[in-house]
Amino acid sequence: MTSLTLGGVDSAKLRRLLPAYGVYVAIAVLVVFNIFFTDNFLEWRNLRIQLVQVTPVVIVALGMALVIGTEGIDMSVGSVMALGAALIPLYLGYGVVPAIILALVGGLAIGLINGGLVAFVGLQPIVATLALLVAGRGIALVLSSGRYKDIRDKNFLAIGTDDLFGVPYTVWIAGVLAVIVGFVVRRTVFGRRLLAVGDNRPAAVLAGVPVKRVLVTVYVIAAILAAIAGVVQVSRIGSADASRIGLLIELSAITAVVVGGTPLTGGKIRVLGTVAGAFLMQLLTATMIANNLKDSTAQMVQAVIILVAVYAARERRTR
Amino acid sequence: MSQTATASGISPEVTASSDASLRRERIIELVQRQGALAVLAIVVVVGVVAFDSFRTGDNAATILISAAPPALIALGMTFVIVSGGIDLSVGSLYVLGGVLAAWASQYGTWAAFALPLVVCGAFGLVQGLVIAYARLAPFIVTLAGLLGARGLMLALSDEGGDTYLVKTDAFKHFGTGELFGVGYPVYLVVALFAAGMLLLYRSRFGQSVYAIGGSEDAARLMGVRIHGTQIRVYVLSGLLAGLAGSINAARLGSGVTVLGTGMELDAIAAVVIGGTLLTGGAGTIGGTIAGVLLLQVIQNLINQIGTVTSAWQTVISGAFIALVVVAQTYLARLRRVAPG
């Protein structure tokens, strides 16, 4: 009996562990592959580029993880990024700090609308945030008069180009945000409430969790994080183009979250897994490009990986 | 109604109040179902009064022909949404269909129609299979489909650099030719909507779509074939998106690679404005027609005004979608509360 079930237990265990830790295995495999087959992969210059490129996705994905933890989804993050980006050149004249604060306020406003529509009106998250996806980018385009704007403020550009202890500022920002989000999820009352809402909403209501307030807060946090990602992106590329910044990033963010082992059904958030998921997708794209596969192929491979990851996550839930 | 009430011995006051609540429910239902048509009528009247250039026959023909591709996509989306799902891949499939049609037109008009239908239909089939058998959320599957179809389109067009020109005059003629002042594609779309109505309202498949959208568990207990219905819905949506793509290619004379982002949102918006609930199980094709035309007429009016930039147009359409969806949600809630 024991010997018979042993095999079963092992495969069940594997099935349980794969979605949660598969992302780390996949990263390890890709790194080993790259060490052997990609020239200059381990050079700091290359690693630095990868790190800098992945930061906006990491920041957006952190917010997305929180939203998905409540059994929601936020499709508007790319437009919020564009809005944050569009606000920067408008207010940079007043200084770097006011400009960044205003960009974050822009995110806050969109987050409030998203959260209000979901929590108080009772719209499905996907519909509410789809509307804001359309309207948000429109607002960003209106603010920037549909024009591409170069940024010359050295202090602001320093955020995107300068280092602290040899690591770019933007990477520090993403790292600190990841730690904060991880702390909030694991160690705070808000984090527990958030997971309760995602796990079983009626039960959360009965337990006295202020569900509506939690939901609004979550969408606001996600939008502010997206605005930060927009600011980071603008500081790195040195220009604000509201029509292009953040396009399809909701897809990358959702992928990162799901690949990292956070189920779309809510009630569970893996913050470190989300960061790892973003890295995995970045590594994958970089590997394919470094080995002369085209962008189109990369997109199709990404599509397949999203499905496989979501399927793996589904398996764990039913066992 | 009052006859049955008196027959069962209920006092007149109760009958009166239940009549009133019934009437209220009917009005709410009417607004929810026909709201789009009413708004469309108002908008058209405003347009006719305000703009000389709006009330020309040419302008009406323009509205109809530019509504043709989005209408087809919205028709497929109606089936998907009524079944309780969503299809985010249609924008990409539309572009893919256009590129395929333009490329295939060198082998004749039939090839230009057949290839997009086959490829986009197969794409829908794969999505449907994954949704039905792997039981993954439709939005995530079709979001991956959006990415995959886009990747396929870019791969076929040398990363978006190649624009295939339509080689067959007959195919081009289908896109640009007119009968009684209205483009050929419009007639095709009208015929397909009629067929769609028959399919949704009068066929076993259509009733299954309503059943699984209303309650999948109940539908299963009634013996509805859940998997088969779901798969067919996504195949249908893919086919219509591909056809919309080839119509557009015929009209433009080339397979343009940069269009189509946001088409899925327009389609969802048109369906929702037409009174179909996103929760599934309810909705009409007539409403979708009104929704599509409403979006097109508003777009046309914004162009007539001329001073509204495309950025503002995006803001307006986003706000409009939000407004309608919020209104629909409240009306649906009122209906649920009303009888009690």
Side-chain angles (χ1 to χ4, degrees):
Chain A
M1 185 68 197
T2 31
S3 63
L4 269 175
T5 46
L6 212 80
V9 166
D10 272 348
S11 81
K13 204 173 184 178
L14 189 71
R15 208 172 276 139
R16 210 176 58 242
L17 290 179
L18 190 67
Y21 299 104
V23 58
Y24 305 109
V25 178
I27 288 182
V29 170
L30 267 180
V31 167
V32 171
F33 174 88
N34 275 300
I35 289 173
F36 284 108
F37 294 101
T38 308
D39 296 337
N40 309 327
F41 177 74
L42 280 180
E43 270 183 29
W44 173 238
R45 214 153 49 100
N46 174 51
L47 293 179
R48 194 193 141 100
I49 290 173
Q50 304 303 333
L51 273 176
V52 168
Q53 280 186 349
V54 81
T55 43
V57 179
V58 168
I59 297 171
V60 171
L62 288 171
M64 186 69 80
L66 295 179
V67 174
I68 289 179
T70 65
E71 211 178 348
I73 198 92
D74 189 348
M75 307 294 286
S76 69
V77 283
S79 298
V80 176
M81 259 183 91
L83 179 64
L87 283 164
I88 288 291
L90 289 183
Y91 295 99
L92 213 46
Y94 298 103
V96 173
V97 175
I100 293 179
I101 289 175
L102 273 163
L104 301 193
V105 169
L108 176 103
I110 303 269
L112 277 176
I113 302 175
N114 274 335
L117 287 174
V118 171
F120 292 100
V121 182
L123 289 188
Q124 287 161 295
I126 184 169
V127 182
T129 54
L130 270 179
L132 267 292
L133 181 158
V134 179
R137 192 167 293 276
I139 297 170
L141 287 167
V142 167
L143 286 175
S144 62
S145 322
R147 258 179 256 130
Y148 171 98
K149 288 193 178 146
D150 274 326
I151 288 174
R152 297 206 177 74
D153 188 309
K154 285 210 178 64
N155 292 324
F156 181 75
L157 291 178
I159 301 173
T161 50
D162 287 9
D163 290 2
L164 181 67
F165 306 128
V167 177
Y169 277 127
T170 53
V171 176
W172 282 109
I173 295 172
V176 169
L177 288 173
V179 171
I180 294 174
V181 170
F183 178 81
V184 166
V185 170
R186 287 183 166 230
R187 297 263 179 256
T188 63
V189 175
F190 172 72
R192 309 308 303 176
R193 285 176 166 171
L194 190 164
L195 293 177
V197 170
D199 199 28
N200 189 338
R201 203 160 150 181
V205 173
L206 291 176
V209 174
V211 174
K212 289 179 179 172
R213 197 174 358 129
V214 169
L215 282 175
V216 173
T217 315
V218 164
Y219 282 92
V220 166
I221 294 175
I224 290 180
L225 283 169
I228 294 177
V231 172
V232 165
Q233 184 83 326
V234 172
S235 71
R236 186 168 69 82
I237 57 183
S239 63
D241 182 358
S243 61
R244 292 190 61 88
I245 282 188
L247 264 188
L248 284 178
I249 198 162
E250 63 276 4
L251 205 57
S252 312
I254 295 171
T255 313
V257 173
V258 171
V259 169
T262 302
L264 279 167
T265 40
K268 190 170 193 109
I269 298 175
R270 287 184 186 276
V271 176
L272 192 61
T274 299
V275 175
F279 272 105
L280 176 63
M281 299 314 285
Q282 171 68 28
L283 257 182
L284 202 68
T285 315
T287 308
M288 286 191 279
I289 289 171
N291 291 283
N292 297 325
L293 283 174
K294 284 175 182 153
D295 203 28
S296 55
T297 320
Q299 285 189 5
M300 285 188 273
V301 171
Q302 256 187 327
V304 173
I305 287 175
I306 297 173
L307 289 182
V308 172
V310 180
Y311 186 73
R314 178 207 76 109
E315 280 291 309
R316 185 189 45 181
R317 250 186 72 80
T318 47
R319 301 288 141 175
Chain B
M1 179 66 208
S2 60
Q3 273 177 352
T4 50
T6 41
S8 58
I10 297 170
S11 65
E13 300 93 79
V14 176
T15 316
S17 77
S18 80
D19 264 4
S21 81
L22 197 73
R23 201 173 306 132
R24 179 162 161 260
E25 197 193 345
R26 276 214 189 110
I27 291 169
I28 293 169
E29 189 183 342
L30 198 71
V31 173
Q32 196 197 333
R33 286 264 171 84
Q34 309 299 341
L37 201 59
V39 178
L40 178 63
I42 295 168
V43 170
V44 168
V45 169
V46 168
V48 166
V49 172
F51 301 101
D52 289 340
S53 50
F54 181 82
R55 51 172 175 259
T56 59
D58 274 356
N59 192 44
T62 307
I63 292 177
L64 287 177
I65 189 86
S66 44
L72 284 183
I73 295 177
L75 177 61
M77 190 68 82
T78 310
F79 279 85
V80 173
I81 290 180
V82 168
S83 82
I86 197 138
D87 190 347
L88 298 176
S89 70
V90 285
S92 293
L93 287 178
Y94 167 71
V95 186
L96 177 64
V99 171
L100 287 171
W103 178 80
S105 67
Q106 58 185 314
Y107 301 107
T109 304
W110 288 112
F113 278 113
L115 188 68
L117 284 178
V118 169
V119 174
C120 296
F123 217 93
L125 176 67
V126 172
Q127 295 187 141
L129 284 170
V130 174
I131 289 166
Y133 289 105
R135 309 208 47 71
L136 300 185
F139 98 87
I140 196 91
V141 174
T142 55
L143 204 55
L146 183 161
L147 200 63
R150 206 185 168 76
L152 188 57
M153 182 273 291
L154 288 175
L156 290 174
S157 62
D158 189 22
E159 307 300 304
D162 277 3
T163 304
Y164 297 109
L165 296 178
V166 172
K167 297 277 167 43
T168 326
D169 283 337
F171 186 55
K172 237 188 269 184
H173 184 64
F174 168 77
T176 50
E178 290 179 350
L179 181 67
F180 307 123
V182 176
Y184 291 138
V186 176
Y187 294 99
L188 177 64
V189 171
V190 170
L192 285 173
F193 265 81
M197 283 180 174
L198 277 179
L199 192 63
L200 187 60
Y201 303 148
R202 292 275 174 263
S203 78
R204 176 195 286 245
F205 165 69
Q207 294 309 304
S208 310
V209 172
Y210 277 111
I212 64 171
S215 165
E216 204 177 306
D217 292 335
R220 184 175 295 117
L221 292 175
M222 287 191 299
V224 173
R225 288 174 52 221
I226 312 270
H227 292 337
T229 310
Q230 270 179 333
I231 292 167
R232 275 179 234 174
V233 162
Y234 287 95
V235 171
L236 188 67
S237 178
L239 286 174
L240 288 169
L243 182 61
S246 41
I247 287 179
N248 201 44
R251 227 181 103 208
L252 299 178
S254 64
V256 181
T257 53
V258 290
L259 295 172
T261 39
M263 283 291 279
E264 61 280 351
L265 302 184
D266 289 345
I268 295 170
V271 172
V272 172
I273 291 168
T276 298
L277 295 178
L278 272 158
T279 39
T284 61
I285 290 176
T288 299
I289 298 175
V292 171
L293 287 177
L294 183 58
L295 288 180
Q296 287 296 327
V297 169
I298 287 176
Q299 185 72 36
N300 189 278
L301 280 177
I302 289 175
N303 290 343
Q304 302 278 352
I305 298 168
T307 53
V308 183
T309 61
S310 69
W312 272 112
Q313 290 182 22
T314 329
V315 178
I316 292 169
S317 55
F320 190 72
I321 298 170
L323 202 71
V324 172
V325 180
V326 169
Q328 295 279 18
T329 311
Y330 273 118
L331 288 170
R333 201 175 294 163
L334 281 176
R335 266 179 79 188
R336 233 175 294 140
V337 176

